[in-house]
Amino acid sequence: MGAKMSLELSDGLAELGRLFNDYTHEPRMLRPEDARAFIACCKELREEARRLENEISAKRWNEEAVRDRIVETGRILDAVRRPGSNVALFPMIPRPFSDGHPVGGA
């Protein structure tokens, strides 16, 4: 996901509104090819709306998971710090570092 903000949905809806502006002044018939174009346009706008909804949903879900993790970490730390608690943190063990080359290689 990029940081670029898409305006396709709002721009498409604005264009759709402009296309129907003439229909607000007098009764007009919609030709079959115009109806097909309208349906295709609605489909594209609906797909863009769904893509944005999914992106927002994933972002909110992930943010909530981070908040939950922070709260849980706080609960654990409170339990560790409480006098007489039997909760203890495991000691940090340094992990071996590998640069991908075999040890002792020439």
Side-chain angles (χ1 to χ4, degrees):
M1 284 184 245
K4 183 181 156 220
M5 181 63 184
S6 172
L7 301 176
E8 290 178 44
L9 182 58
S10 58
D11 288 348
L13 288 169
E15 179 62 23
L16 195 57
R18 280 190 292 277
L19 290 172
F20 277 86
N21 200 28
D22 289 343
Y23 290 81
T24 63
H25 302 295
E26 61 186 58
R28 296 180 72 162
M29 292 288 289
L30 191 61
R31 297 179 311 207
E33 60 269 17
D34 291 336
R36 285 189 289 276
F38 174 76
I39 291 168
C41 184
C42 287
K43 181 180 181 224
E44 285 182 32
L45 294 173
R46 184 179 62 248
E47 288 170 356
E48 179 63 11
R50 181 54 53 99
R51 187 191 67 73
L52 290 171
E53 290 167 349
N54 288 337
E55 185 176 323
I56 290 167
S57 176
K59 184 175 181 354
R60 288 180 180 169
W61 183 273
N62 289 334
E63 287 172 350
E64 187 67 29
V66 167
R67 279 192 294 275
D68 289 349
R69 202 171 311 122
I70 289 169
V71 168
E72 185 61 23
T73 300
R75 286 188 196 130
I76 293 169
L77 290 175
D78 288 344
V80 168
R81 292 181 187 129
R82 192 171 41 247
S85 172
N86 66 350
V87 178
L89 297 176
F90 289 111
M92 288 292 294
I93 301 171
R95 304 274 186 232
F97 172 76
S98 171
D99 59 4
H101 299 292
V103 176

